[in-house]
Amino acid sequence: MIAKYRLLALDMDGTLLNDEQLITPETEKWIKKAVEAGVHVCLSTGRAFRSALPYAEQLGLQTPMVTVNGSEVWRAPHELYRRSLMDPVLVTQMYEIAQQYGIWFWAYSLDEVHKRDNWDGNVEGREWLKFGYQTEDDDIRHKLLLQLQDMGGLEITNSSPYNLEINPLGVNKAAGIREVCKLLGIDMSQVVAVGDSLNDLSVIQQAGLGVAMGNAQKTVKQEADVVVASNNKDGIAEVIQKYILAEAKIITAATVAVK
């Protein structure tokens, strides 16, 4: 079976995982069918590598991974290909903004996730990948967004309607998946990218087929080529059945007819 789409790029939270943080048996079954059909399945997540790895292992994936919204690209699990670090000066500035508003924040360094309740102030002594804020106060979040935009040099997205996630400018899932395509010798037109939040938007816009989950944020649904069922109703299984394996059968049938 020849697949039109060669790479399935999967966001994790709100996409691959249901609300209980699990891959359902149905979704796992269809991912394995896609792999058997020769499709590369790549986890493309805002999570850190160590948080994403158990799910890659559950699915038996040995393919590249994109973690921390594109700050890291892995040639294969445990084999780092590229890492983009954030300027510690920016981390300090973003920490001070969190203090100014008194809101919850987190920052990913190479060794751990630093939050408001375990922040030790050692910014210069670490290598940083991502910073994030969480607040359900729309007014504060809007002011925060404007302040971050004024700083410049930042890629600002979210992984839920109530947070903001910040990476270095140019570091995003689309850039990460482009590097994965080079590693695999394929084109972005051969990619199906699936997600639910603004940190998925760049890759959904640039992939051959951009897919929004049924639970996706409004902007993501508007920009996607198709919308499937939610993360709690096996939307990924639908993607694979309708848009990957069905396309592969059509191509196979056409090839046989030509022969």
Side-chain angles (χ1 to χ4, degrees), residues 18 35 46 56 72 76 95-96 119 143 161 173 199 220 250 252:
N18 65 15
V35 172
E72 293 176 332
Y95 166 75
E96 289 169 353
W119 188 260
K143 288 178 180 174
K173 290 186 180 184
N199 62 350
V220 179
I250 291 167
T252 303

Side-chain angles (χ1 to χ4, degrees), residues 7 40 42 64-66 73-74 81 175-186:
L7 174 64
H40 301 283
C42 171
M65 296 171 63
V66 174
V73 177
W74 302 81
Y81 176 67
I177 292 298
R178 283 192 177 281
E179 291 186 72
V180 169
C181 285
K182 287 177 188 173
L183 288 172
L184 297 174
I186 63 176

Side-chain angles (χ1 to χ4, degrees), residues 46-214:
R47 289 182 177 226
F49 172 75
R50 64 182 173 275
S51 175
L53 182 63
Y55 296 98
E57 291 176 337
Q58 177 185 341
L59 295 169
L61 301 179
Q62 292 300 316
T63 38
M65 296 171 63
V66 174
T67 55
V68 205
N69 288 341
S71 281
E72 293 176 332
V73 177
W74 302 81
R75 189 186 297 271
H78 299 293
E79 191 181 341
L80 184 67
Y81 176 67
R82 194 260 306 143
R83 177 179 281 144
S84 300
L85 297 174
M86 182 171 275
D87 186 341
V89 173
L90 291 175
V91 174
T92 298
Q93 288 175 332
M94 287 187 281
Y95 166 75
E96 289 169 353
I97 290 171
Q99 297 304 105
Q100 174 189 336
Y101 289 107
I103 58 174
W104 183 258
F105 70 90
W106 65 93
Y108 283 36
S109 71
L110 292 191
D111 53 339
E112 63 182 306
V113 181
H114 307 265
K115 302 175 183 177
R116 187 169 65 181
D117 55 5
N118 71 339
W119 188 260
D120 64 8
N122 181 14
V123 176
E124 291 294 334
R126 293 189 172 97
E127 293 181 300
W128 299 93
L129 298 168
K130 181 176 79 165
F131 201 98
Y133 300 94
Q134 174 92 12
T135 175
E136 295 190 13
D137 187 315
D138 294 343
D139 185 49
I140 287 179
R141 202 168 53 255
H142 181 64
K143 288 178 180 174
L144 180 59
L145 176 61
L146 294 177
Q147 222 169 319
L148 292 167
Q149 288 171 337
D150 285 345
M151 283 171 63
L154 303 174
E155 193 87 15
I156 308 166
T157 62
N158 75 22
S159 60
S160 95
Y162 303 114
N163 72 27
L164 292 172
E165 297 204 346
I166 300 97
N167 292 78
L169 187 64
V171 173
N172 54 54
K173 290 186 180 184
I177 292 298
R178 283 192 177 281
E179 291 186 72
V180 169
C181 285
K182 287 177 188 173
L183 288 172
L184 297 174
I186 63 176
D187 190 79
M188 280 293 277
S189 65
Q190 296 173 292
V191 175
V192 176
V194 195
D196 71 310
S197 297
L198 296 187
N199 62 350
D200 302 305
L201 194 56
S202 61
V203 71
I204 283 173
Q205 290 170 326
Q206 295 179 42
L209 184 72
V211 182
M213 299 297 286

